[in-house]
Amino acid sequence: MLSHLALVVRHSSSTRTSDPSLATSHSTIYSQSLPANHQKPERPTLLKDILNAAAQMAMVNFDNHVATNFFSRTRRWIRLQLGQKMHFANMEGRREKSWFSLPCRAATRQDGSIWDLLPVYTSLSEPPQDVATDLETLVATMQSLMGPLPVTDQSLLREPQSYLAWLHIVLADFQDAQDTPHAPKLFSMTPQAVEGCQFCQHAFPVNRRHHRIHS
């Protein structure tokens, strides 16, 4: 019987698909040759561990991606909304950045207001009424769309998914503005694998021809 089994095994790899009867014979003879109460041995693999590690890395990268870029992208969005107003035309760069930082800080606070924070920005004076109205409207709009308030580094890391809707709005406005002067740089909603990226961990080698980062 063993010699018959050896003969069947020797030819089964090349003829099993073309000769179903041979495959049936192999299965029958092999089963009859096994010891009583035989249990197929488990062959553990690292696939489960690899998938778990990759999933954990992806989550860490996603958390860092949202938390690291949230405020800078929000300030760039504010610049897009206010940059064309005459009040900010030809303004010195540092003061201009302060004006765009002010509504960002106000919007990310609980019940934040530009008037509460304006004294902190000592380089800024009280804006004209129309500019103040625009700033207040902008802050109110952001607070209604941004996500859970207040927005802090801790809240971004704790529930980054809650702020994706806001970042999607920011990205959509950036895309609409690509034909304008000084168009804001587009970004990816999820972290992109790039060799040497400061915040991204990699489970596998990176093919640089097919991966580019957007920041």
Side-chain angles (χ1 to χ4, degrees), residues 23-176:
T24 302
S25 298
H26 168 263
S27 177
T28 301
I29 296 173
Y30 177 77
S31 300
Q32 293 174 351
S33 302
L34 294 175
N37 301 322
H38 172 76
Q39 293 183 350
K40 185 178 180 180
E42 293 186 5
R43 295 180 173 84
T45 67
L46 296 178
L47 180 59
K48 181 178 179 180
D49 294 335
I50 292 173
L51 292 177
N52 287 337
Q56 185 174 8
M57 286 184 182
M59 181 60 69
V60 170
N61 291 339
F62 175 74
D63 293 351
N64 287 336
H65 181 73
V66 174
T68 303
N69 297 297
F70 181 88
F71 293 106
S72 63
R73 287 170 179 165
T74 298
R75 287 191 295 267
R76 284 159 53 195
W77 180 84
I78 294 171
R79 181 189 183 96
L80 178 64
Q81 308 304 312
L82 301 176
Q84 303 302 318
K85 295 190 175 296
M86 290 299 298
H87 180 73
F88 304 105
N90 301 319
M91 184 176 288
E92 186 265 331
R94 184 172 298 180
R95 290 186 63 226
E96 184 184 55
K97 288 182 179 180
S98 295
W99 273 117
F100 300 148
S101 174
L102 172 61
C104 181
R105 290 186 60 184
T108 55
R109 297 177 62 177
Q110 192 78 41
D111 300 323
S113 166
I114 60 170
W115 303 111
D116 296 335
L117 292 172
L118 189 58
V120 177
Y121 292 84
T122 56
S123 64
L124 304 181
S125 57
E126 184 172 327
Q129 183 58 48
D130 62 321
V131 175
T133 300
D134 289 341
L135 290 173
E136 290 175 328
T137 301
L138 190 64
V139 168
T141 300
M142 293 168 65
Q143 289 176 330
S144 67
L145 298 172
M146 188 167 285
L149 298 174
V151 184
T152 64
D153 291 338
Q154 291 73 25
S155 70
L156 290 169
L157 287 172
R158 184 171 57 251
E159 44 182 336
Q161 70 282 356
S162 298
Y163 301 96
L164 284 181
W166 167 250
L167 290 175
H168 187 269
I169 292 173
V170 171
L171 179 59
D173 285 349
F174 283 10
Q175 290 173 327
D176 291 342

